[in-house]
Amino acid sequence: MYTFLDLLIVVVLALSAVSLIAMVLMFLMKNSKIRRLCLYLVSALGVYTGYVGLQIMSLNSTGRSLLAIAVALVSIGAVVLERLSKGNETRFLRARLLASAALITGMLNAFM
């Protein structure tokens, strides 16, 4: 018999696996379209982990709630930076790094 806590563990493991695969592909692939697609996926997962972190935290832990909001905003900012890069590889690399850092921070904030 499975409980909801068991299902939560399965969801966290699946989310971690998808996040890890998307981040690895984002940095190792040569095709720019696949890198952009992975960046959008990592950013969407960052916004999702920010939302989950905000929903999990109670009203008493304002520090972690603010961190969850910051994670979602940094993920959105990474997409904006990528859209404004217009072929500038340095800005695109910064956007990928921001999205990865936001996703990792969001995962740690929400599920630790």
Side-chain angles (χ1 to χ4, degrees), residues 89-110:
E89 194 63 33
T90 318
R91 284 187 184 171
F92 185 52
L93 177 64
R94 287 182 185 159
R96 290 184 289 166
L97 289 173
L98 277 174
S100 297
L103 179 60
I104 291 170
T105 305
M107 291 285 285
L108 290 176
N109 184 35

Side-chain angles (χ1 to χ4, degrees), residues 39-40 43-44 73-85 95 99:
L39 173 69
Y40 297 149
S43 294
L73 290 177
V74 168
S75 294
I76 293 169
V79 172
V80 170
L81 182 63
E82 181 271 329
R83 296 304 300 163
L84 294 176
S85 67

Side-chain angles (χ1 to χ4, degrees), residues 9 15 17-18 21 25 58 62 64-66 71 84 93 98 103:
I9 291 171
L15 187 62
V18 169
I21 290 170
L25 288 177
S58 65
T62 56
R64 292 187 74 176
S65 297
L66 289 176
V71 163
L84 294 176
L93 177 64
L98 277 174
L103 179 60

Side-chain angles (χ1 to χ4, degrees), residues 36 47 49 54-55 58 69 88 90 97 104 107 109:
R36 288 186 198 281
V47 170
T49 57
L54 188 62
Q55 292 298 316
S58 65
I69 293 170
N88 190 347
T90 318
L97 289 173
I104 291 170
M107 291 285 285
N109 184 35

